[in-house]
Amino acid sequence: VVELSDAAIARCWTQVHGGGGYLSSGSELRGTNTSIVDHYASSVGGCLLLTSSSRAELTGAEVSGCWADGNGGGVYLQDESVLRGNDVSILDNSAAWYGGGVFAFSSSAIELAGAEVSHCSSGFGGGGFYVSSSMLHGSDVMILDGHTDWWYGGGLYASSSVIELTGATVARCSAGIAGGGFCLEFESALQGSNISILDDAAGSYGGGIAIFSGVIELLRAEVAGCSSEFVGGGVYLDSGSELRGSNISILDSNADHLGGCV
């Protein structure tokens, strides 16, 4: 167990994984008022890598200015690892491949309360979050100005995963092809309440939301000011996908060809 308080870890690098730190085999990092900034990994986990049931618990922490040549510009999780954050900022992180802010797969979990994930980017998918065969639970989360150059999910991409969000804002995010705000594939499920999806854009499908295979359930939600250069300015649903909404508004969105709102 590593416990840090009022600490700074800065300007480190590795030729393989975990520029700022590498946790494995059930290791645990507990950080309070800790800054983990300006790190680089030539493979995955620009800031932190968690593997083999490791966990990081961060309170009042900042993860920023990190880069990975592979996946997970900020934090990379795999193999049942857990990232738990309270009042956490994940800012200005980038990955050449997937998951500019956070990359999670293989039954890992992300639990956030009072978090901001902004100005994170990736080359191919999940500018803010890339979640595969894992879980993300967030309350009072802001995903802002996320971007992916080529593929899906400027704010968040989910594959075979469960996403639960309460009191979230996804704004000014963009994707080269689909899901400027959110993109779901491979029977993923997203449940959201008190959600705002604002001013997001996609090159082809679903400026705000793109669902290729999965279900999104929204309660008290707004999708507004979103755009697509082809289909589904606000929302795009592929065959077999579902959007269920109660007290939901889809406003002021546009598509260059088909379905300005949906």
Side-chain angles (χ1 to χ4, degrees):
V1 177
V2 177
E3 296 191 21
L4 302 172
S5 180
D6 300 308
I9 303 172
R11 299 183 298 278
C12 301
W13 66 275
T14 176
Q15 292 185 2
V16 190
H17 308 315
Y22 182 100
L23 283 75
S24 67
S25 303
S27 299
E28 186 170 343
L29 168 66
R30 301 170 187 165
T32 302
N33 299 327
T34 296
S35 298
I36 309 172
V37 300
D38 300 327
H39 302 292
Y40 164 76
S42 64
S43 183
V44 299
C47 179
L48 292 174
L49 184 143
L50 285 70
T51 186
S52 303
S53 302
S54 296
R55 61 194 302 122
E57 299 190 5
L58 304 175
T59 302
E62 177 182 341
V63 175
S64 67
C66 299
W67 169 268
D69 285 342
N71 302 323
V75 182
Y76 179 103
L77 298 88
Q78 66 178 17
D79 300 335
E80 301 182 352
S81 293
V82 177
L83 170 65
R84 180 172 293 140
N86 185 10
D87 189 23
V88 171
S89 298
I90 301 174
L91 314 173
D92 301 299
N93 301 294
S94 298
W97 291 88
Y98 299 99
V102 181
F103 178 100
F105 85 113
S106 186
S107 301
S108 293
I110 307 164
E111 302 173 8
L112 300 175
E116 178 181 348
V117 179
S118 69
H119 292 93
C120 293
S121 63
S122 65
F124 292 98
F129 293 95
Y130 183 99
V131 186
S132 178
S133 301
S134 295
M135 184 273 288
L136 166 63
H137 176 81
S139 61
D140 299 319
V141 173
M142 295 189 295
I143 306 172
L144 308 175
D145 301 291
H147 175 72
T148 187
D149 291 338
W150 290 104
W151 298 110
Y152 304 148
L156 180 149
Y157 172 87
S159 170
S160 304
S161 295
V162 175
I163 311 296
E164 299 176 351
L165 296 173
T166 303
T169 299
V170 182
R172 302 183 302 276
C173 296
S174 59
I177 292 182
F182 294 138
C183 182
L184 272 65
E185 282 195 300
F186 302 110
E187 300 182 357
S188 291
L190 186 153
Q191 293 182 328
S193 61
N194 299 316
I195 303 292
S196 297
I197 302 168
L198 309 173
D199 303 314
D200 300 309
S204 295
Y205 303 98
I209 300 170
I211 314 171
F212 290 99
S213 174
V215 178
I216 290 184
E217 299 182 11
L218 298 177
L219 173 65
R220 294 184 300 276
E222 179 181 5
V223 179
C226 297
S227 62
S228 168
E229 294 180 21
F230 185 49
V231 178
V235 181
Y236 172 83
L237 290 85
D238 209 347
S239 60
S241 298
E242 297 182 49
L243 171 65
R244 304 168 186 165
S246 177
N247 194 9
I248 179 174
S249 301
I250 303 175
L251 310 170
D252 303 312
S253 298
N254 66 87
D256 288 355
H257 291 273
L258 303 171
C261 281
V262 181

